[in-house]
Amino acid sequence: MQSIPRLPLGCFPTPIHDLPSLSEDLGITLKIKRDDLTGLAAGGNKIRKLEYLIADAQSQGCSVLITAGALQSNHVLQTTAAGRKSGMRVIAVMDGAAPQTYSGNLRLSKLLGAELEFFESDRFVEDVRDYMAQRQAQLAQEGEAAYIVPVGGSNALGSQGYVNCVREMAEQYQAAGEAPPDYLVVAGGSGGTFAGIAAGCAHFWPGTKVIGIVITTNYFAQREHMAKLTEEAAAMAGFDQSWTAADIGLDYSYIGPGYGIPSPAGDFAVNTMASREGILLDPTYTGKVLSGLIGQVESGQIAPGSRVLFVHTGGATALLT
Ligand SMILES: *Cc1c(COP(=O)(O)O)cnc(C)c1O
């Protein structure tokens, strides 16, 4: 594995532990990787990506981060926390009109020191790239070097956070004297997490089947895009491996009514994890991911008795809005 500059920002390694009650309910051996506990602000998976992205920003002499997301974006929240901790200005471009009052993650991003800007577009994810590039050019004229963090922190560099996470997990399993899991189940959103994990598993845990439960219909999550990002992440990590869309283990059956809209199965999964294990998931990402895990156990895609690792990517602040 090549050595790519990383700025330590989070609390790592995050714990892995058993989920005994859910294991019993489902007839599998289920463990959880607690990347909801990454240590900055409300935790979550973007911190691992930002350790690489902010190291890159600083090596380029940038003092400002520009990023974008939905009004309740977990990514914006974590980018603000990580950027401010690193002594940088953070400009956050939010999808939609400025609300009368700020609640949830928007309020927390403001508290952490984000400079919020509101941008309305039907094709936000596509159009915001031009908006961010224009802001970067404006700042350059004012003498400030700004670095654009892509939506979700999902490019090959950001994905290195999850290549490294697989290395971390492999070390944790080894230290505990455990064989690698049969299945690893994780969210597929903007794709950086899945890509890093798929690339990392091919190298460190080649016998583990990676299942990405997709939670959005956005182009990011399409099979071809995910395969390309996985291949780029692996190449950057120095792994000689190629992927085709057919190799990518993505399941699109659990999106429900749409991105950010709760599904009955996802809500059931949030309730089950809370009441059986005392752990908070969220309705947009991790609840739907657990609903996919449960669905795949019920359908037999995950065989009874399998050893399964669920990656908790954070997001529970959404329960409070
Ligand atoms: C962003 C996010 C994801 C998805 O990760 P991607 O790398 O964007 O695919 C999953 N869970 C939570 C809680 C998130 O905030």
Side-chain angles (χ1 to χ4, degrees):
M1 194 169 166
Q2 286 166 14
S3 165
I4 301 166
R6 180 177 78 87
L7 180 70
L9 290 170
C11 299
F12 299 115
T14 56
I16 295 177
H17 62 82
D18 295 334
L19 295 173
S21 300
L22 269 186
S23 294
E24 197 184 311
D25 292 352
L26 295 171
I28 58 175
T29 302
L30 184 59
K31 290 179 184 289
I32 186 168
K33 173 65 168 171
R34 298 297 302 273
D35 266 14
D36 55 325
L37 304 178
T38 50
L40 279 184
N45 62 337
K46 308 305 183 301
I47 302 295
R48 288 189 190 269
K49 306 177 187 183
L50 288 160
E51 290 194 330
Y52 287 91
L53 294 165
I54 295 179
D56 188 38
Q58 295 197 331
S59 79
Q60 294 180 25
C62 294
S63 57
V64 184
L65 298 178
I66 305 175
T67 200
L71 283 183
Q72 289 298 329
S73 169
N74 298 315
H75 165 71
V76 165
L77 175 64
Q78 290 168 73
T79 302
T80 305
R84 299 298 290 164
K85 180 178 161 75
S86 308
M88 304 177 83
R89 284 176 62 194
V90 179
I91 295 176
V93 187
M94 311 308 292
D95 180 0
Q100 292 265 303
T101 53
Y102 292 178
S103 66
N105 283 354
L106 186 63
R107 179 172 166 208
L108 296 179
S109 295
K110 178 85 186 158
L111 172 69
L112 291 160
E115 298 171 40
L116 299 170
E117 299 183 6
F118 295 88
F119 175 62
E120 291 179 78
S121 164
D122 295 341
R123 298 171 65 251
F124 179 82
V125 177
E126 288 83 2
D127 294 345
V128 78
R129 281 184 288 199
D130 287 341
Y131 181 98
M132 291 195 288
Q134 280 167 21
R135 289 294 282 121
Q136 185 183 41
Q138 270 171 8
L139 285 158
Q141 283 185 341
E142 295 162 16
E144 283 217 78
Y147 184 92
I148 296 176
V149 176
V151 170
S154 287
N155 56 19
L157 182 60
S159 295
Q160 299 309 305
Y162 274 89
V163 174
N164 203 38
C165 178
V166 178
R167 189 188 28 186
E168 179 181 301
M169 294 189 291
E171 286 169 6
Q172 288 174 301
Y173 268 63
Q174 200 157 37
E178 301 245 8
D182 303 315
Y183 296 93
L184 182 153
V185 182
V186 66
S190 63
T193 304
F194 177 86
I197 284 185
C201 280
H203 186 77
F204 295 108
W205 273 350
T208 299
K209 186 166 189 290
V210 180
I211 300 171
I213 305 294
V214 176
I215 51 72
T216 175
T217 52
N218 200 289
Y219 78 91
F220 288 142
Q222 283 164 17
R223 209 174 278 282
E224 291 70 24
H225 182 85
M226 290 279 212
K228 186 165 163 284
L229 188 56
T230 302
E231 197 152 281
E232 288 171 3
M236 188 176 278
F239 307 155
D240 184 22
Q241 196 113 19
S242 67
W243 275 265
T244 64
D247 304 325
I248 295 288
L250 294 168
D251 188 338
Y252 294 82
S253 312
Y254 299 92
I255 301 171
Y259 173 73
I261 306 170
S263 67
D267 288 349
F268 174 80
V270 170
N271 275 306
T272 304
M273 184 67 96
S275 60
R276 294 288 280 155
E277 298 286 354
I279 295 171
L280 299 175
L281 300 179
D282 79 290
T284 300
Y285 296 97
T286 52
K288 287 181 181 175
V289 175
L290 182 60
S291 78
L293 189 159
I294 294 170
Q296 290 213 5
V297 169
E298 286 173 348
S299 70
Q301 287 162 285
I302 294 175
S306 295
R307 301 164 64 259
V308 183
L309 177 61
F310 172 79
V311 180
H312 190 339
T313 46
T317 50
L319 295 171
L320 301 174
T321 53

